[in-house]
Amino acid sequence: MSLDDKATKPHDRLAQALAAEMDAVNALIRDRMSSEHAPRIPEVTAHLIEAGGKRLRPMLTLAAAKVCGYEGPYHVHLAATVEFIHTATLLHDDVVDESTQRRGRPTANLLWDNKSSVLVGDYLFARSFQLMTEANNMRVLNILANASAVIAEGEVLQLTAAQDLATTPATYLKVIRGKTAALFSAATEVGGVLAGAHENAVRALHDYGDALGIAFQMADDLLDYGGASAQIGKNTGDDFRERKLTLPVIKAVAAASAEERAFWVRVIEKGDQREGDLEEALRLMRLHGTLEATRDEALAWGNRARASLNALPAHPLRDMLSDLAEYVVARMK
Amino acid sequence: MSLDDKATKPHDRLAQALAAEMDAVNALIRDRMSSEHAPRIPEVTAHLIEAGGKRLRPMLTLAAAKVCGYEGPYHVHLAATVEFIHTATLLHDDVVDESTQRRGRPTANLLWDNKSSVLVGDYLFARSFQLMTEANNMRVLNILANASAVIAEGEVLQLTAAQDLATTPATYLKVIRGKTAALFSAATEVGGVLAGAHENAVRALHDYGDALGIAFQMADDLLDYGGASAQIGKNTGDDFRERKLTLPVIKAVAAASAEERAFWVRVIEKGDQREGDLEEALRLMRLHGTLEATRDEALAWGNRARASLNALPAHPLRDMLSDLAEYVVARMK
């Protein structure tokens, strides 16, 4: 590995190693997001897909299949399936969260309307199921159908847990396992299943995706408060304003004095947020060390992801997946 | 057939003949609408499902399978699949249409919120895919995945065609084929495929469902204007107020004088609706005979549905399906 390679982010190295397949995935996505009768569908989809997401999930599927020696064409279909499920979820999430920005651009619900986002999301879900049937593998279908149900369940759980100070770390783990890790673990697991890998390898791929997804979401939730050092940037505090019970807050609430608890009740449960409240929230998180504790949990999940890979055959892509697990948590520092 | 049987509606006779299987379908629906982690999901689903819809679509699947001699257990799974897809669609439709009433009760988006309706709908879509994989039949999966895509496409097309006076009868047919007939034809077709029926029978079942769905939706759209006799009731004019381009309006616009066209531009395109406008719309529809013309088209589709059944083996359920096709259009009179 040259110095140059070392300087590249793990995500970019994966993209380089999978460049030909990712071109095929992107071509398939463009082909399947079309609609004979309703031009609104490709308009809305292209707005989101061409905004340049990281394509992390389809790369996981491609890498998992190749690490297990797959040489057929259908990992491309499953990678596109996974990206369609992800895109459909984003469209619906932005409606549910009433978001106005995504990937640095106005959201589809803002540019068009909520109706278009709901219905185009439904279309992409249906397209994802069409795509996955093409691999003609019942076990793959089961994994992806189950993941879709778990994702929706996680989103509903997040909705009902929002603003509820009684939310426990266990509930938080269920939410992020659902809304994030379920698609990561399905993405990697189906790669192994498609390749006809040994059960140990399939299980290892599932566990890698699960732990990677959890680490990824914990890091995201920590970064929303500026990371472990709580550096406030332009996107800091979105979760605070939306009154989401993420791990740094859950831990701060659990450690709160009576007076601190009154603060959390006011800003999260009652939604009465005033000038300086985000700073006060950060002060309490620092006081109780909840940002560092969240970082430590994310690092532990990242390590668990890396350890899972030991059950897989040696392969350059396996090493990149390992580096990726290190990278998603290194973002926090 | 006793006098008593003759007096019963075809829909009720089907329900009677399929009572044992429908009990199994309802039990399966209750089982699969549950969620280990998110109680909001069964709450929202039960509100809609237990409001007592007609369960027309699952009965079509059961009847189609039995007419073709199916004796296994999976027609029950596919019937529940079809009802889940339908229920998910209703939840999302009510968000898109901002509806407040469904089956005589307040809609879920009103009782809970749009967020719950979107996410619970997603959950039911995912559950429907889990259910359909249990039948372990790739062709069935393809039919239902395709139908889901066509339904969403039809809904998007309806959204973009709304308020557009240039909408043609051909576009209208695409919209209702998508939003309504696609699930009817998939419901009947998968019954035949599951039963391993001859290709002619499978095609006949598809054509029956397609024509029945079109007749059903045309009748609905006509009834929204009070039927061919334009009798105004409490639910008359919903489509008019929502500025939907349904067949009676499309035909009236096509036949409009310059002055009449100005009226349609004002009430449909500009949405400037005043006291007496619905009555004026009805007067123009009567003037150009568009209510009768819509009724005639619906009757023709009903007849086409009945004729399709000739390719199927003789069976009491086949006769009930035939009566059903007569009944859905007889509602218009």
Side-chain angles (χ1 to χ4, degrees):
Chain A
M1 192 181 277
S2 74
L3 265 178
D4 210 50
D5 281 341
K6 280 208 173 178
T8 321
K9 288 178 185 168
H11 175 272
D12 296 329
R13 287 204 302 279
L14 260 178
Q16 237 167 51
L18 299 166
E21 276 111 331
M22 278 308 296
D23 283 349
V25 171
N26 288 327
L28 191 58
I29 285 173
R30 274 194 302 277
D31 180 52
R32 300 306 172 88
M33 76 188 190
S34 68
S35 154
E36 193 188 340
H37 303 311
R40 173 73 52 89
I41 291 172
E43 284 165 27
V44 170
T45 311
H47 171 72
L48 189 55
I49 287 207
E50 286 164 11
K54 293 182 295 298
R55 299 277 204 278
L56 190 54
R57 293 157 190 80
M59 289 205 294
L60 290 175
T61 299
L62 297 177
K66 293 188 78 170
V67 165
C68 296
Y70 184 68
E71 294 187 343
Y74 291 112
H75 57 336
V76 169
H77 293 71
L78 297 185
T81 298
V82 162
E83 188 69 3
F84 267 2
I85 295 175
H86 178 54
T87 308
T89 307
L90 293 184
L91 283 170
H92 287 186
D93 273 2
D94 285 343
V95 170
V96 168
D97 291 343
E98 298 165 23
S99 309
T100 56
Q101 285 256 323
R102 163 83 65 188
R103 294 174 179 166
R105 305 173 72 176
T107 52
N109 43 309
L110 195 73
L111 277 184
W112 287 273
D113 46 34
N114 280 346
K115 305 172 184 205
S116 298
S117 291
V118 169
L119 297 176
V120 173
D122 288 350
Y123 184 75
L124 296 182
F125 270 130
R127 284 301 227 179
S128 79
F129 281 105
Q130 287 181 310
L131 268 168
M132 71 177 83
T133 60
E134 292 176 37
N136 209 359
N137 183 313
M138 284 305 297
R139 187 169 166 196
V140 160
L141 283 169
N142 279 319
I143 292 165
L144 288 167
N146 291 346
S148 300
V150 171
I151 292 167
E153 197 177 23
E155 302 269 7
V156 176
L157 186 60
Q158 172 172 263
L159 183 66
T160 52
Q163 306 160 26
D164 180 0
L165 286 192
T167 304
T168 61
T171 300
Y172 170 78
L173 189 61
K174 276 181 206 157
V175 168
I176 68 172
R177 262 215 156 101
K179 73 170 194 166
T180 307
L183 192 53
F184 277 68
S185 59
T188 46
E189 187 176 359
V190 297
V193 169
L194 186 68
H198 191 280
E199 279 311 309
N200 288 342
V202 170
R203 153 90 20 204
L205 283 167
H206 171 276
D207 291 349
Y208 168 79
D210 178 58
L212 183 73
I214 291 170
F216 180 88
Q217 189 60 53
M218 281 186 179
D220 252 21
D221 291 344
L222 181 59
L223 284 168
D224 202 82
Y225 286 104
S229 59
Q231 294 207 319
I232 300 190
K234 82 177 157 70
N235 292 318
T236 316
D238 282 350
D239 290 342
F240 182 74
R241 282 182 289 276
E242 290 173 23
R243 302 147 69 191
K244 283 188 182 163
L245 271 289
T246 59
L247 198 52
V249 174
I250 292 169
K251 285 176 179 290
V253 171
S257 67
E259 192 186 347
E260 290 168 17
R261 195 177 163 83
F263 168 80
W264 292 115
V265 168
R266 174 171 64 78
V267 298
I268 301 290
E269 282 200 352
K270 302 197 173 148
D272 171 11
Q273 297 190 1
R274 306 168 193 171
E275 189 78 32
D277 279 346
L278 176 59
E279 288 72 14
E280 174 63 7
L282 284 167
R283 190 186 71 78
L284 295 178
M285 290 180 200
R286 274 192 298 260
L287 177 69
H288 296 294
T290 72
L291 297 168
E292 293 81 355
T294 299
R295 184 198 58 199
D296 291 347
E297 286 199 34
L299 287 172
W301 282 105
N303 287 336
R304 208 182 289 197
R306 300 179 73 192
S308 303
L309 295 172
N310 292 333
L312 296 177
H315 195 291
L317 285 166
R318 188 189 74 167
D319 300 336
M320 291 184 208
L321 290 176
S322 179
D323 293 347
L324 183 69
E326 197 173 10
Y327 176 68
V328 299
V329 285
R331 294 184 302 156
M332 295 182 300
K333 287 170 188 169
Chain B
M1 192 180 278
S2 73
L3 265 177
D4 210 51
D5 281 341
K6 279 208 173 175
T8 321
K9 289 177 184 169
H11 175 272
D12 297 327
R13 287 206 301 280
L14 260 178
Q16 238 166 51
L18 299 166
E21 276 110 332
M22 279 306 295
D23 283 348
V25 171
N26 287 327
L28 191 58
I29 286 173
R30 274 194 303 277
D31 180 54
R32 300 306 172 88
M33 76 188 189
S34 69
S35 155
E36 194 189 339
H37 302 312
R40 173 71 54 88
I41 291 171
E43 283 166 27
V44 170
T45 311
H47 171 73
L48 188 55
I49 286 206
E50 287 164 11
K54 294 183 293 300
R55 300 278 204 279
L56 191 54
R57 294 158 189 82
M59 289 203 295
L60 290 176
T61 300
L62 297 177
K66 293 188 79 171
V67 165
C68 295
Y70 183 68
E71 294 186 343
Y74 290 112
H75 57 336
V76 169
H77 292 71
L78 297 185
T81 297
V82 162
E83 188 67 4
F84 267 3
I85 295 175
H86 178 54
T87 307
T89 307
L90 294 184
L91 281 171
H92 286 186
D93 273 4
D94 286 341
V95 170
V96 168
D97 291 343
E98 298 165 24
S99 308
T100 55
Q101 285 255 321
R102 161 85 62 190
R103 295 175 179 165
R105 304 172 72 176
T107 53
N109 44 309
L110 195 73
L111 278 186
W112 287 273
D113 46 34
N114 280 346
K115 304 173 184 201
S116 298
S117 291
V118 169
L119 297 177
V120 173
D122 288 351
Y123 183 75
L124 297 181
F125 270 130
R127 285 300 227 179
S128 79
F129 282 105
Q130 288 181 309
L131 268 168
M132 71 178 82
T133 60
E134 293 175 36
N136 209 358
N137 183 313
M138 284 306 295
R139 187 168 167 198
V140 160
L141 282 170
N142 279 318
I143 292 165
L144 288 167
N146 291 346
S148 299
V150 171
I151 292 167
E153 197 175 23
E155 302 268 7
V156 176
L157 186 60
Q158 173 173 263
L159 183 67
T160 53
Q163 306 160 25
D164 180 1
L165 286 191
T167 305
T168 61
T171 300
Y172 170 78
L173 189 61
K174 275 181 207 158
V175 168
I176 67 172
R177 264 214 156 101
K179 73 171 193 165
T180 307
L183 192 54
F184 277 69
S185 60
T188 46
E189 187 176 0
V190 295
V193 169
L194 186 68
H198 191 280
E199 279 310 310
N200 289 342
V202 171
R203 152 92 20 209
L205 282 167
H206 171 277
D207 291 350
Y208 168 79
D210 179 58
L212 182 72
I214 292 169
F216 180 88
Q217 189 60 52
M218 281 185 178
D220 252 20
D221 291 346
L222 180 59
L223 283 168
D224 202 80
Y225 287 103
S229 59
Q231 294 208 318
I232 300 190
K234 81 178 157 73
N235 293 317
T236 316
D238 282 351
D239 290 345
F240 182 74
R241 281 181 289 274
E242 290 173 22
R243 301 147 69 190
K244 283 187 183 164
L245 272 289
T246 60
L247 199 53
V249 174
I250 291 169
K251 286 176 179 290
V253 171
S257 68
E259 191 187 345
E260 290 168 16
R261 195 177 163 82
F263 168 79
W264 292 115
V265 168
R266 174 171 65 78
V267 297
I268 300 289
E269 281 200 350
K270 301 196 174 149
D272 171 10
Q273 297 190 2
R274 306 168 194 171
E275 188 75 32
D277 279 347
L278 175 59
E279 289 72 14
E280 174 64 6
L282 285 167
R283 190 187 69 78
L284 296 178
M285 291 181 199
R286 274 193 297 261
L287 177 68
H288 297 295
T290 72
L291 297 168
E292 293 81 354
T294 298
R295 185 198 55 198
D296 292 347
E297 287 201 33
L299 287 172
W301 282 104
N303 288 336
R304 207 182 289 196
R306 300 179 73 191
S308 303
L309 295 171
N310 292 332
L312 296 178
H315 194 289
L317 284 166
R318 188 189 74 167
D319 299 336
M320 291 183 209
L321 290 176
S322 179
D323 292 346
L324 183 68
E326 197 172 10
Y327 176 69
V328 300
V329 287
R331 293 185 300 156
M332 294 181 302
K333 286 170 189 169

